[in-house]
Every structure is written in C-alpha cells, then in structure tokens.
Amino acid sequence: MTILQLNKEGDIVGYKGFCFEMLKTLMQKYDFKVRLVLSYDGNWGSLLPNNTWNGMVGMVNRTEVDMAVSGFTISHIREQGIDFTAAFHEESTAILLPAPRPRSKAFALIQPFSWKVWLALCAAVVGVTPVLHLISRAGPWTPALYPDPPEARPTYSHIQWFIFGGIIGHGDRCIPASLSSRVMLAFWWSAAVTIMASYTGTLIASLTVPTVADSIESLEELAFQDEIKWTYRIYSSMDNLFRSSGSAVFRQMATRYADSKVTTDYEGVDKVLTGEWAFIKERSFLDFALDEDFQRTGQCRLQIAAREFYTVGFGWVLQTGSPLKELFDLEFLRMSEMGLFGKWRGMYWPAPSNCSTGLIFTDVGSQPLALADLVSAFLLLALGAVLSTVVLAAEMVYRSACAGRR
C-alpha cells in the first residue's frame, strides 16, 4: 500500500508504504536524498504500438528519472526498455467480483429436487395407480375397500387420489382389502416416506440457511460465460500478457471486451461495484480495495475469486545498465534475510477478514423465516384457488348441459 501527500501545486511532500520503507532504509544507510515525481500519465508502463514506452517505465527509459519506486511486475517485454531490480515480492493475479447475490426463494417449494427427480416422482405417482388397480381387481379375493362393505369396489380415480395422498403424507380411511394390494401399498408408502423426509429436510435447510448463487472461481470460468463481463487496466502488464499470449483463454480475455479497458485501478473497482463486471489485477491491490470498501460501507460488496493465476515477481525499475542494480539487489536480499519484508507487510497489508476469505458468503447460520422465504407456498395456494375455480366452472357447465338433456 502506498500513500502520497501532495501540496496545492501537486508536488509530493509526504509518503509512506511498503516500497517507501525500503527506500528510507536505503537512504539512511547510504546517506542520499531523492526527489519524487508522479507519473505524467498515471500509468505504470507499457510498450505502445509506435514502439515507445508510456508511464513510469517510459520516464526511466527516456532517462527523465533515475528509477521508479513501486511494485512493478517483472516481465520480459518491459525488460526490453529498462532493467529490473531483483524481485522483493511475489504474488499472483486475481479476479475481483461482485459479492454473490442470495438465491431467490420464489420457487423454494420445487428447489429441493432437480427436474429429473420431479419427473421421476410424477411418473411413479401415475405409474403405480394402474398397477395397484389391476392387483385389486385381479386378486383371488373379492376386491373391497376396508372398512366399507365387501361389495364396495375401489374405482380408478379413488386409487389415483389414494396414491397421491401417500406422497404428501395424507391418509385415507378406506384402503384396498386384498393382501396383494396391501403388499403393494406397503412398498409404496415406504418409498413415499423416504421421499417426503428427503424433501422436507432439504426444504427446511434451504429456507432457514441463506444460500448464494454459484460464483466464478477461475479465469477459465470467467472467460467462457456470459453473465459477468471483465476488464483490466490498459497499458499494464496484464494488457501485454493477454495481447501477446497464444493461450485460447488469454486471447478471449484480450478480444471480447477490448474496448472496455479501464485507465485507473479504482475505475475497475467501481465497475465491479455495478454488479456486472469483474476486474483483473494483482492480488495485493484487490485485497486493499476490498478492505477499503468494507471499512467505508460496513458491507461485503466485493469478493475475490478462489483460484489465482500468473504468479509474478515485483521489482523496482532502473535505467538499462544502471550501477544501482547490483547494490539494490544485494540490499533487497539483506532486507529479506533480516525479516524486514515480513514486518512491513504486517504494517501495510490488510488483515484477512471474512470478506477477503469469502467465508461470509458460505459460513452462515440459520435465520428466521421472512415473508419472502414463503412466497412459493402462497403462489401455490393462489394457483390452487385459480384451478379450483376453473374446475368449478367446468362442473357447473357440465351439470347445466346434463340438465338440459333431461
């Protein structure tokens, strides 16, 4: 993390951060001073189509400054115009995503089972009825309904409703009296109890424990989906990587939203906050951005994809052939051996939180039911009222027609 203090004229009058701790250590040891200037265009440095460099890399390449102090991604393309110090930090690239939204519970009543299970259940309810009807008719004893008189024969519609009642836990005072029918019913009720227990257990869990929509976990998943668009900073090492790589995934990242690249890192974060974009950047910056948003809003509005990629080293930028390279490389090694890098990371890196680890989106306890959780039950009740009204109208029309024939 780097913090700069500027005066009214835009000059740097104060600074602190990981790299500046390194710089101050060197200044104290070798008794030299520096004058800090900002990048003229706000960029880190990338090779332009006209074969010139922009950003801080360009300023060093043109000898406008002696060195650039920050965490520069060490890459082969950049080393064509400048020299890098030894890497003082390594990290991967990550993907900043909108926080996952809670799944809608408007259809909670059908969500415990997949469509294949529902289809199989409907087939079972429809298929068991003719089997039980045939058994009750073809048995060696007189078909009857218990406790009705022996001459009472079970109709097909009665058996159909009897089977349907079993799957929703509803009994009936009359059951087929033959032994073969009761054997069939015993197995049907055993299956029905298992299905009901599975359904109710899953339904209760889905209603009382909040669940979130599946999130993107890798660059490959991001590249070949249509719900979330992506962006990254123009004229950055990521831009160079995607444009120069032969990987199918990287080509997809470079071309699909080529006109949507951002010019600043925080512009990328703002796009993610719209809920429609992902921002690709080094993990440390994304950790800072996520923590800053949480400290400002008190909400976890961002998350970082689980799988990272493209691990790189960070170094300072020096002029090609600079005599400072050998000295800085040796001093960086000494700082590492003395444990200073770990100390400074503890000072400036945000501590892991439930937001940065993603635990807040998965480690949740049971919640009281709200009206929105039971929308599907009321929708089902409304559907039943509508269907019963339609059936009532049909019955009245049928009875009126029959009375007319008389």
Side-chain angles (χ1 to χ4, degrees), residues 271-405:
K271 295 190 83 167
V272 177
L273 289 173
T274 65
E276 299 178 356
W277 290 84
F279 180 49
I280 304 171
K281 181 69 178 174
E282 289 81 10
R283 175 66 191 247
S284 60
F285 173 81
L286 299 186
D287 284 333
F288 288 123
L290 188 151
D291 185 68
E292 287 175 4
D293 184 71
F294 175 74
Q295 296 298 332
R296 184 174 62 256
T297 66
Q299 302 176 8
C300 291
R301 303 191 297 172
L302 302 168
Q303 68 166 336
I304 298 176
R307 292 171 55 187
E308 302 170 0
F309 67 101
Y310 186 48
T311 300
V312 294
F314 285 177
W316 290 359
V317 170
L318 302 172
Q319 295 177 6
T320 301
S322 171
L324 297 174
K325 176 175 171 52
E326 184 175 353
L327 174 64
F328 282 2
D329 288 351
L330 178 60
E331 289 300 328
F332 288 1
L333 178 60
R334 288 175 177 169
M335 293 177 190
S336 177
E337 291 176 343
M338 294 172 64
L340 294 177
F341 289 163
K343 172 186 175 183
W344 294 331
R345 288 192 191 99
M347 291 170 55
Y348 294 105
W349 257 250
S353 65
N354 283 348
C355 279
S356 61
T357 61
L359 288 177
I360 193 171
F361 306 121
T362 56
D363 186 16
V364 292
S366 61
Q367 302 290 331
L369 293 180
L371 180 60
D373 298 328
L374 299 176
V375 167
S376 56
F378 291 108
L379 289 176
L380 187 63
L381 182 61
L383 178 61
V386 172
L387 288 179
S388 62
T389 304
V390 172
V391 172
L392 175 61
E395 288 178 340
M396 294 177 64
V397 171
Y398 177 76
R399 289 177 183 176
S400 177
C402 291
R405 293 194 191 101

Side-chain angles (χ1 to χ4, degrees), residues 5 107 113 117 137 139 146 208 225 230 242 277 313 322 352 370 388:
Q5 295 177 345
F107 301 98
F113 290 160
V117 176
R137 291 276 180 172
Y146 178 84
T208 57
Q225 53 80 48
W230 58 83
F242 289 156
W277 290 84
S322 171
S388 62

Side-chain angles (χ1 to χ4, degrees), residues 129-145 150-159 176-178 180-181:
T129 301
V131 175
L132 183 58
H133 184 261
L134 177 62
I135 293 175
S136 64
R137 291 276 180 172
W141 292 281
T142 301
L145 294 173
E151 63 271 12
R153 290 176 175 272
T155 63
Y156 190 90
S157 61
H158 178 272
I159 292 179
S178 65
S180 56
S181 299

Side-chain angles (χ1 to χ4, degrees), residues 13 25 35 56 69 77 172 209 211 224 226 246 287 289 348 389:
V13 295
T25 300
R35 183 173 69 89
M56 290 178 276
V69 178
I77 293 179
D172 196 319
V209 179
T211 56
F224 300 105
D226 299 316
D287 284 333
Y348 294 105
T389 304

